Amino acid sequence: MSKIKSNRLKDNAFKYFGIFCTFIGLVMLAIFIGNILIEGLGRIDYDFLTNLPSRKAAKAGILTAWTGTAWILGLTAIIAIPLGVAAGVYLEEYGKKNRLASIVEINIANLAGVPSIIYGLLGLEIFVRILNFGGSLLAGAFTLALLILPIIIVATREALKAVPDSLRQASYGMGATKWQTIQYQILPAASGGILTGIILALSRAIGETAPLIVIGALAYVPFVAKTPMDEFTVLPMQIFNWVSRPQHEFVINAAAGIIILLLITFILNGIAVYLRNKWQKKVNW
Protein backbone atom coordinates (compact mmCIF):
# COMPACT_ATOMS: atom_id res chain seq x y z
CA MET A 1 0.00 0.00 0.00
CA SER A 2 1.39 3.41 -0.97
CA LYS A 3 1.86 6.19 1.54
CA ILE A 4 -0.91 8.28 -0.06
CA LYS A 5 -3.45 5.45 0.23
CA SER A 6 -2.34 4.79 3.80
CA ASN A 7 -2.86 8.44 4.75
CA ARG A 8 -6.30 8.48 3.10
CA LEU A 9 -7.26 5.34 4.99
CA LYS A 10 -6.17 6.92 8.27
CA ASP A 11 -8.11 10.10 7.45
CA ASN A 12 -11.28 8.13 6.74
CA ALA A 13 -10.83 5.99 9.85
CA PHE A 14 -10.42 9.09 12.02
CA LYS A 15 -13.45 10.72 10.38
CA TYR A 16 -15.71 7.78 11.12
CA PHE A 17 -14.29 7.44 14.64
CA GLY A 18 -15.12 11.08 15.26
CA ILE A 19 -18.65 10.60 13.90
CA PHE A 20 -19.09 7.56 16.17
CA CYS A 21 -17.92 9.47 19.26
CA THR A 22 -20.22 12.39 18.42
CA PHE A 23 -23.14 10.00 17.93
CA ILE A 24 -22.51 8.34 21.31
CA GLY A 25 -22.41 11.75 23.01
CA LEU A 26 -25.65 12.85 21.35
CA VAL A 27 -27.40 9.60 22.26
CA MET A 28 -26.38 9.92 25.92
CA LEU A 29 -27.48 13.56 25.97
CA ALA A 30 -30.83 12.62 24.43
CA ILE A 31 -31.31 9.88 27.04
CA PHE A 32 -30.54 12.24 29.92
CA ILE A 33 -32.75 15.06 28.64
CA GLY A 34 -35.53 12.62 27.76
CA ASN A 35 -35.46 11.13 31.24
CA ILE A 36 -35.56 14.59 32.81
CA LEU A 37 -38.51 15.62 30.61
CA ILE A 38 -40.43 12.45 31.47
CA GLU A 39 -39.80 12.92 35.19
CA GLY A 40 -40.33 16.64 35.58
CA LEU A 41 -42.48 18.03 32.77
CA GLY A 42 -45.74 17.14 34.48
CA ARG A 43 -44.63 18.88 37.69
CA ILE A 44 -44.23 22.31 36.12
CA ASP A 45 -47.24 24.54 36.74
CA TYR A 46 -48.05 27.99 38.11
CA ASP A 47 -47.88 26.82 41.73
CA PHE A 48 -44.45 25.28 41.19
CA LEU A 49 -43.14 28.64 39.95
CA THR A 50 -44.77 30.74 42.67
CA ASN A 51 -44.57 28.56 45.80
CA LEU A 52 -41.86 28.87 48.43
CA PRO A 53 -39.66 25.87 49.30
CA SER A 54 -41.34 23.33 51.55
CA ARG A 55 -40.54 20.09 53.32
CA LYS A 56 -43.53 18.60 51.54
CA ALA A 57 -42.57 17.84 47.96
CA ALA A 58 -46.08 18.41 46.59
CA LYS A 59 -46.14 21.97 47.95
CA ALA A 60 -42.52 22.89 47.24
CA GLY A 61 -41.80 25.53 44.60
CA ILE A 62 -38.88 27.43 43.11
CA LEU A 63 -39.95 31.03 43.72
CA THR A 64 -36.92 31.91 45.86
CA ALA A 65 -34.60 29.98 43.53
CA TRP A 66 -35.59 31.56 40.22
CA THR A 67 -35.86 35.06 41.72
CA GLY A 68 -32.40 34.56 43.26
CA THR A 69 -31.10 33.43 39.88
CA ALA A 70 -32.62 36.54 38.27
CA TRP A 71 -31.01 38.76 40.94
CA ILE A 72 -27.61 37.10 40.50
CA LEU A 73 -27.81 37.27 36.70
CA GLY A 74 -28.75 40.95 36.71
CA LEU A 75 -26.13 42.02 39.26
CA THR A 76 -23.42 39.95 37.58
CA ALA A 77 -24.23 41.55 34.22
CA ILE A 78 -24.13 45.06 35.72
CA ILE A 79 -20.71 44.40 37.25
CA ALA A 80 -19.01 42.28 34.58
CA ILE A 81 -20.18 43.76 31.27
CA PRO A 82 -18.80 47.32 31.65
CA LEU A 83 -15.54 46.09 33.16
CA GLY A 84 -15.05 43.31 30.62
CA VAL A 85 -15.86 45.38 27.55
CA ALA A 86 -13.78 48.35 28.77
CA ALA A 87 -10.81 46.08 29.51
CA GLY A 88 -11.12 44.42 26.09
CA VAL A 89 -11.28 47.78 24.30
CA TYR A 90 -8.27 49.09 26.20
CA LEU A 91 -6.13 46.02 25.58
CA GLU A 92 -6.98 45.88 21.89
CA GLU A 93 -7.15 49.56 20.93
CA TYR A 94 -4.99 51.42 23.45
CA GLY A 95 -2.59 48.90 24.97
CA LYS A 96 0.96 48.79 23.67
CA LYS A 97 2.14 45.57 22.03
CA ASN A 98 5.07 44.71 24.28
CA ARG A 99 6.26 41.90 26.53
CA LEU A 100 4.05 42.99 29.44
CA ALA A 101 0.99 43.07 27.19
CA SER A 102 1.78 39.54 25.98
CA ILE A 103 2.01 38.30 29.58
CA VAL A 104 -1.32 39.95 30.42
CA GLU A 105 -2.98 38.40 27.35
CA ILE A 106 -1.70 34.92 28.23
CA ASN A 107 -2.91 35.24 31.82
CA ILE A 108 -6.36 36.44 30.77
CA ALA A 109 -6.69 33.51 28.39
CA ASN A 110 -5.57 31.12 31.15
CA LEU A 111 -8.02 32.62 33.65
CA ALA A 112 -10.89 31.67 31.34
CA GLY A 113 -10.03 28.02 31.99
CA VAL A 114 -9.52 28.18 35.77
CA PRO A 115 -11.94 25.90 37.71
CA SER A 116 -14.88 27.83 39.13
CA ILE A 117 -14.18 26.62 42.67
CA ILE A 118 -11.00 28.74 42.68
CA TYR A 119 -13.08 31.86 42.04
CA GLY A 120 -15.33 30.77 44.91
CA LEU A 121 -12.35 30.66 47.28
CA LEU A 122 -11.21 34.07 46.04
CA GLY A 123 -14.71 35.49 46.51
CA LEU A 124 -14.92 33.99 50.01
CA GLU A 125 -11.74 35.76 51.09
CA ILE A 126 -12.27 39.13 49.39
CA PHE A 127 -16.01 39.75 49.28
CA VAL A 128 -17.29 37.69 52.21
CA ARG A 129 -14.52 38.21 54.77
CA ILE A 130 -12.53 41.33 53.85
CA LEU A 131 -15.38 43.46 52.45
CA ASN A 132 -17.84 41.83 54.88
CA PHE A 133 -20.62 41.24 52.35
CA GLY A 134 -21.45 37.90 53.96
CA GLY A 135 -23.43 35.32 52.02
CA SER A 136 -25.34 38.01 50.16
CA LEU A 137 -26.44 38.46 46.57
CA LEU A 138 -23.74 41.10 46.12
CA ALA A 139 -20.97 38.71 47.18
CA GLY A 140 -22.31 36.08 44.78
CA ALA A 141 -22.58 38.56 41.93
CA PHE A 142 -19.02 39.85 42.39
CA THR A 143 -17.71 36.28 42.54
CA LEU A 144 -19.47 35.26 39.34
CA ALA A 145 -18.40 38.52 37.70
CA LEU A 146 -14.77 37.53 38.33
CA LEU A 147 -15.56 34.13 36.83
CA ILE A 148 -16.89 35.48 33.53
CA LEU A 149 -14.69 38.58 33.15
CA PRO A 150 -11.95 36.72 31.22
CA ILE A 151 -14.56 35.30 28.83
CA ILE A 152 -16.02 38.75 28.12
CA ILE A 153 -12.57 40.30 27.69
CA VAL A 154 -11.45 37.62 25.23
CA ALA A 155 -14.75 37.82 23.30
CA THR A 156 -14.52 41.62 23.11
CA ARG A 157 -10.95 41.52 21.83
CA GLU A 158 -11.75 38.91 19.19
CA ALA A 159 -14.75 40.93 18.00
CA LEU A 160 -12.61 44.08 17.76
CA LYS A 161 -9.90 42.20 15.86
CA ALA A 162 -12.49 41.15 13.27
CA VAL A 163 -13.13 44.81 12.37
CA PRO A 164 -10.88 45.69 9.39
CA ASP A 165 -8.20 48.30 9.97
CA SER A 166 -9.40 50.20 6.87
CA LEU A 167 -12.48 51.26 8.85
CA ARG A 168 -10.26 52.84 11.47
CA GLN A 169 -8.08 54.57 8.91
CA ALA A 170 -11.10 55.93 7.07
CA SER A 171 -12.44 57.39 10.31
CA TYR A 172 -9.08 58.97 11.15
CA GLY A 173 -8.92 60.36 7.62
CA MET A 174 -12.23 62.17 8.24
CA GLY A 175 -10.71 63.87 11.28
CA ALA A 176 -12.22 61.72 14.02
CA THR A 177 -10.30 61.16 17.24
CA LYS A 178 -9.38 57.70 18.46
CA TRP A 179 -12.25 57.60 20.97
CA GLN A 180 -14.74 58.89 18.40
CA THR A 181 -13.57 56.16 16.02
CA ILE A 182 -14.03 53.50 18.69
CA GLN A 183 -17.38 54.86 19.86
CA TYR A 184 -19.06 55.46 16.51
CA GLN A 185 -17.32 52.99 14.19
CA ILE A 186 -15.49 50.12 15.91
CA LEU A 187 -17.89 49.24 18.73
CA PRO A 188 -21.04 49.29 16.55
CA ALA A 189 -19.28 47.11 13.97
CA ALA A 190 -18.14 44.64 16.65
CA SER A 191 -21.33 44.75 18.74
CA GLY A 192 -22.67 41.43 17.47
CA GLY A 193 -19.57 39.51 18.47
CA ILE A 194 -19.34 41.29 21.81
CA LEU A 195 -22.99 40.58 22.66
CA THR A 196 -22.57 36.94 21.71
CA GLY A 197 -19.61 36.59 24.08
CA ILE A 198 -21.47 38.37 26.87
CA ILE A 199 -24.55 36.15 26.58
CA LEU A 200 -22.48 32.97 26.47
CA ALA A 201 -20.56 34.15 29.54
CA LEU A 202 -23.81 34.83 31.41
CA SER A 203 -25.07 31.40 30.34
CA ARG A 204 -22.07 29.88 32.09
CA ALA A 205 -22.62 31.98 35.21
CA ILE A 206 -26.28 31.02 35.51
CA GLY A 207 -25.44 27.33 35.92
CA GLU A 208 -22.54 27.68 38.37
CA THR A 209 -22.99 26.21 41.84
CA ALA A 210 -19.54 25.58 43.31
CA PRO A 211 -18.49 29.26 43.78
CA LEU A 212 -21.83 30.10 45.40
CA ILE A 213 -21.60 27.16 47.80
CA VAL A 214 -18.12 28.30 48.85
CA ILE A 215 -19.19 31.88 49.61
CA GLY A 216 -22.05 30.62 51.76
CA ALA A 217 -25.16 30.73 49.60
CA LEU A 218 -27.99 28.81 51.24
CA ALA A 219 -29.72 25.70 49.96
CA TYR A 220 -32.95 26.69 51.72
CA VAL A 221 -34.24 30.27 51.81
CA PRO A 222 -37.84 30.81 52.99
CA PHE A 223 -38.16 34.35 51.61
CA VAL A 224 -37.70 36.23 48.33
CA ALA A 225 -34.62 38.45 48.22
CA LYS A 226 -35.49 42.15 48.03
CA THR A 227 -32.10 43.89 48.28
CA PRO A 228 -28.57 43.03 47.08
CA MET A 229 -27.51 42.40 50.68
CA ASP A 230 -30.10 39.67 51.31
CA GLU A 231 -29.26 36.00 51.58
CA PHE A 232 -30.19 33.95 48.55
CA THR A 233 -30.41 30.67 46.77
CA VAL A 234 -30.33 29.88 43.05
CA LEU A 235 -31.80 27.20 40.83
CA PRO A 236 -28.68 24.95 40.71
CA MET A 237 -28.48 24.93 44.52
CA GLN A 238 -32.20 24.23 44.89
CA ILE A 239 -31.86 21.35 42.44
CA PHE A 240 -28.86 20.01 44.38
CA ASN A 241 -30.86 20.23 47.61
CA TRP A 242 -33.76 18.25 46.16
CA VAL A 243 -31.57 15.61 44.53
CA SER A 244 -29.90 14.92 47.90
CA ARG A 245 -33.29 14.01 49.43
CA PRO A 246 -34.17 10.30 49.52
CA GLN A 247 -37.83 10.78 48.55
CA HIS A 248 -38.59 10.28 44.86
CA GLU A 249 -41.04 13.22 44.89
CA PHE A 250 -38.15 15.60 45.48
CA VAL A 251 -36.28 14.01 42.56
CA ILE A 252 -39.28 14.88 40.39
CA ASN A 253 -39.10 18.46 41.68
CA ALA A 254 -35.39 18.52 40.84
CA ALA A 255 -36.12 17.32 37.30
CA ALA A 256 -38.69 20.11 36.90
CA GLY A 257 -36.12 22.64 38.17
CA ILE A 258 -33.55 21.31 35.69
CA ILE A 259 -36.06 21.83 32.86
CA ILE A 260 -36.54 25.47 33.91
CA LEU A 261 -32.77 26.01 34.14
CA LEU A 262 -32.20 24.37 30.76
CA LEU A 263 -34.94 26.52 29.25
CA ILE A 264 -33.30 29.70 30.51
CA THR A 265 -29.90 28.54 29.22
CA PHE A 266 -31.29 27.56 25.80
CA ILE A 267 -33.05 30.92 25.49
CA LEU A 268 -29.83 32.80 26.28
CA ASN A 269 -27.82 30.68 23.84
CA GLY A 270 -30.54 31.08 21.20
CA ILE A 271 -30.33 34.86 21.57
CA ALA A 272 -26.54 34.62 21.17
CA VAL A 273 -26.87 32.58 17.96
CA TYR A 274 -29.48 35.00 16.60
CA LEU A 275 -27.30 38.04 17.33
CA ARG A 276 -24.27 36.35 15.75
CA ASN A 277 -26.15 35.49 12.57
CA LYS A 278 -27.71 38.95 12.39
CA TRP A 279 -24.28 40.55 12.86
CA GLN A 280 -22.70 38.34 10.18
CA LYS A 281 -25.35 39.38 7.65
CA LYS A 282 -24.49 43.03 8.24
CA VAL A 283 -20.77 42.48 7.76
CA ASN A 284 -19.73 43.61 4.32
CA TRP A 285 -15.97 43.19 4.60
Side-chain angles (χ1 to χ4, degrees):
M1 183 182 294
S2 66
K3 189 174 182 179
I4 295 176
K5 289 183 178 180
S6 176
N7 289 336
R8 287 179 179 175
L9 184 61
K10 290 178 182 178
D11 289 341
N12 288 328
F14 182 78
K15 181 180 72 173
Y16 289 117
F17 177 73
I19 293 172
F20 174 76
C21 292
T22 303
F23 177 75
I24 293 297
L26 291 175
V27 168
M28 296 300 296
L29 180 62
I31 292 172
F32 290 145
I33 293 179
N35 184 61
I36 290 169
L37 291 174
I38 293 171
E39 288 277 356
L41 202 57
R43 181 67 179 85
I44 299 174
D45 54 20
Y46 180 77
D47 290 337
F48 182 71
L49 296 174
T50 57
N51 284 353
L52 294 172
S54 173
R55 293 178 180 176
K56 296 181 179 179
K59 295 183 179 180
I62 58 170
L63 179 62
T64 56
W66 74 258
T67 52
T69 297
W71 264 104
I72 283 289
L73 190 63
L75 290 173
T76 302
I78 291 172
I79 297 167
I81 293 174
L83 290 175
V85 173
V89 170
Y90 172 78
L91 290 173
E92 187 61 32
E93 300 294 333
Y94 289 96
K96 295 180 179 180
K97 308 300 180 183
N98 52 28
R99 187 177 182 83
L100 179 61
S102 299
I103 294 174
V104 171
E105 290 177 11
I106 292 171
N107 279 278
I108 290 173
N110 289 336
L111 284 173
V114 171
S116 60
I117 191 70
I118 304 300
Y119 289 98
L121 294 172
L122 182 63
L124 175 66
E125 183 62 29
I126 297 176
F127 304 121
V128 176
R129 294 176 179 173
I130 296 177
L131 298 181
N132 201 28
F133 288 159
S136 65
L137 284 162
L138 202 57
F142 272 112
T143 302
L144 292 182
L146 287 179
L147 174 67
I148 66 173
L149 260 177
I151 303 173
I152 296 177
I153 293 172
V154 171
T156 300
R157 295 195 64 192
E158 292 301 320
L160 294 174
K161 286 180 182 178
V163 179
D165 193 56
S166 58
L167 193 64
R168 297 174 175 84
Q169 299 303 324
S171 180
Y172 296 147
M174 296 297 292
T177 63
K178 191 175 186 64
W179 172 242
Q180 287 175 331
T181 300
I182 293 171
Q183 183 179 5
Y184 295 110
Q185 301 296 329
I186 307 304
L187 283 178
S191 60
I194 294 172
L195 284 173
T196 299
I198 288 171
I199 294 172
L200 293 177
L202 292 175
S203 296
R204 179 187 177 185
I206 201 174
E208 287 292 344
T209 308
L212 300 180
I213 292 176
V214 172
I215 67 169
L218 303 176
Y220 174 79
V221 177
F223 57 86
V224 177
K226 295 182 179 179
T227 69
M229 296 307 297
D230 286 344
E231 294 178 329
F232 71 101
T233 189
V234 289
L235 274 171
M237 292 196 65
Q238 184 65 71
I239 292 166
F240 170 77
N241 184 29
W242 279 335
V243 169
S244 63
R245 303 287 185 88
Q247 298 91 339
H248 183 68
E249 290 79 6
F250 284 108
V251 175
I252 294 174
N253 285 354
I258 290 171
I259 293 172
I260 299 298
L261 186 60
L262 284 174
L263 185 63
I264 295 172
T265 305
F266 287 157
I267 289 173
L268 288 175
N269 282 273
I271 293 172
V273 172
Y274 170 77
L275 291 174
R276 183 187 63 194
N277 292 337
K278 187 177 180 181
W279 175 68
Q280 287 177 344
K281 290 179 182 178
K282 289 183 177 181
V283 173
N284 296 319
W285 53 79

